[in-house]
Amino acid sequence: MKTVSEIVESFKFSGGEIQVTLKDNLFESGGRVNLKAHLHSSDAIMELLLTADAYKRIGVTVGTLQVPYLPYARQDRVCASGQALSIAVMANLINSIGAEKVVVFDCHSPVGLALINNVHNISKAAWAADIYGLSSRKKYEIIAPDAGAQKSAYEFAKALPNATGVTCAHKYRDVTTGAITGVAYEGDVTGKHCLIVDDICDGGATFTALSKKLREGGAASVELFVVHGIFSRGLEVFDNLEHIWCVNVFDKELEHSARVSVIH
């Protein structure tokens, strides 16, 4: 499976429009192509749609479409009158491609999965065994950072050999600003190697606050596993994390950081 950027030549017109041209009309036997698209920008979304259209025009069907990060999955509800249901718009665009199968990595919201045709979601538990091996078989206490992450944290712990258990945390926000005002967790982490598990790390405010709290509670070490690493504030904010495990890193430069291990 090749990424869209590997099989097309693309450029942008002065008006901002994207255009793509297939490289030598590359496609697989039987008139079917499998595509992988890292949709980390609006341009990348448009590039995928144009690539799929270019293939259709030479009689090629999109078999499997792999979209590791599903854009707008975090905008899965209308919070105020006059707003769009963004995930519905994104789902309609993906459905317009007509792929036989759409694979996403640990989708943030079940709404996105419900709206996309022929979708297959790979949960974060699929990478548990990889972390176990790459960490030299460390015994981890799995930390669910909030109520929404608890179910998947238990699934991850079941898939991770030698997991010592699951500790559930909670975060508190200022309802007027959305800012995190505090975190807490249930249980005792004294002497434990803690692995915080979640789907996305954006700025990392939750994880920085929680890792500090776990350290204060006597944790032997604190690490983080997220499927999608946006890291919009860089890695410098994660002072209390020994290591970060990730599957899909937005900034490829961060893949070379000693603090990040990318699981392929």
Side-chain angles (χ1 to χ4, degrees), residues 129-144:
D130 294 292
I131 292 178
Y132 175 66
L134 293 170
S135 66
S136 300
R137 303 181 178 182
K138 185 180 291 186
K139 293 183 179 181
Y140 284 115
E141 176 75 7
I142 303 306
I143 311 296

Side-chain angles (χ1 to χ4, degrees), residues 50-82:
L50 293 174
T51 300
D53 184 76
Y55 273 118
K56 286 180 181 179
R57 293 181 184 281
I58 58 173
V60 176
T61 300
V62 177
T64 297
L65 170 61
Q66 187 180 103
V67 181
Y69 177 75
L70 179 61
Y72 299 102
R74 290 185 285 176
Q75 288 78 54
D76 61 353
R77 69 197 71 185
V78 176
C79 297
S81 178

Side-chain angles (χ1 to χ4, degrees), residues 122-216:
I122 300 178
S123 73
K124 61 178 65 67
W127 292 281
D130 294 292
I131 292 178
Y132 175 66
L134 293 170
S135 66
S136 300
R137 303 181 178 182
K138 185 180 291 186
K139 293 183 179 181
Y140 284 115
E141 176 75 7
I142 303 306
I143 311 296
D146 53 37
Q150 288 183 13
K151 180 181 178 180
S152 63
Y154 279 102
E155 292 174 352
F156 188 90
K158 289 180 180 179
L160 180 69
N162 283 345
T164 58
V166 176
T167 293
C168 298
H170 309 276
K171 57 187 175 184
Y172 306 96
R173 292 184 183 274
D174 183 329
V175 294
T176 60
T177 65
I180 295 174
T181 58
V183 294
Y185 62 87
E186 304 169 359
D188 184 7
V189 297
T190 303
K192 295 182 179 180
H193 296 289
C194 297
L195 180 63
I196 305 171
V197 174
D198 211 349
D199 59 338
I200 301 171
C201 177
D202 195 328
T206 298
F207 308 127
T208 55
L210 180 54
S211 59
K212 180 181 179 181
K213 182 68 70 172
L214 292 167
R215 280 296 205 174
E216 293 172 349

Side-chain angles (χ1 to χ4, degrees), residues 28-71:
E28 299 177 5
S29 60
R32 180 175 282 98
V33 64
N34 297 320
L35 299 176
K36 182 176 183 178
H38 293 289
L39 303 183
H40 300 167
S41 69
S42 296
D43 282 353
I45 295 170
M46 196 63 199
E47 189 177 65
L48 168 63
L49 297 172
L50 293 174
T51 300
D53 184 76
Y55 273 118
K56 286 180 181 179
R57 293 181 184 281
I58 58 173
V60 176
T61 300
V62 177
T64 297
L65 170 61
Q66 187 180 103
V67 181
Y69 177 75
L70 179 61

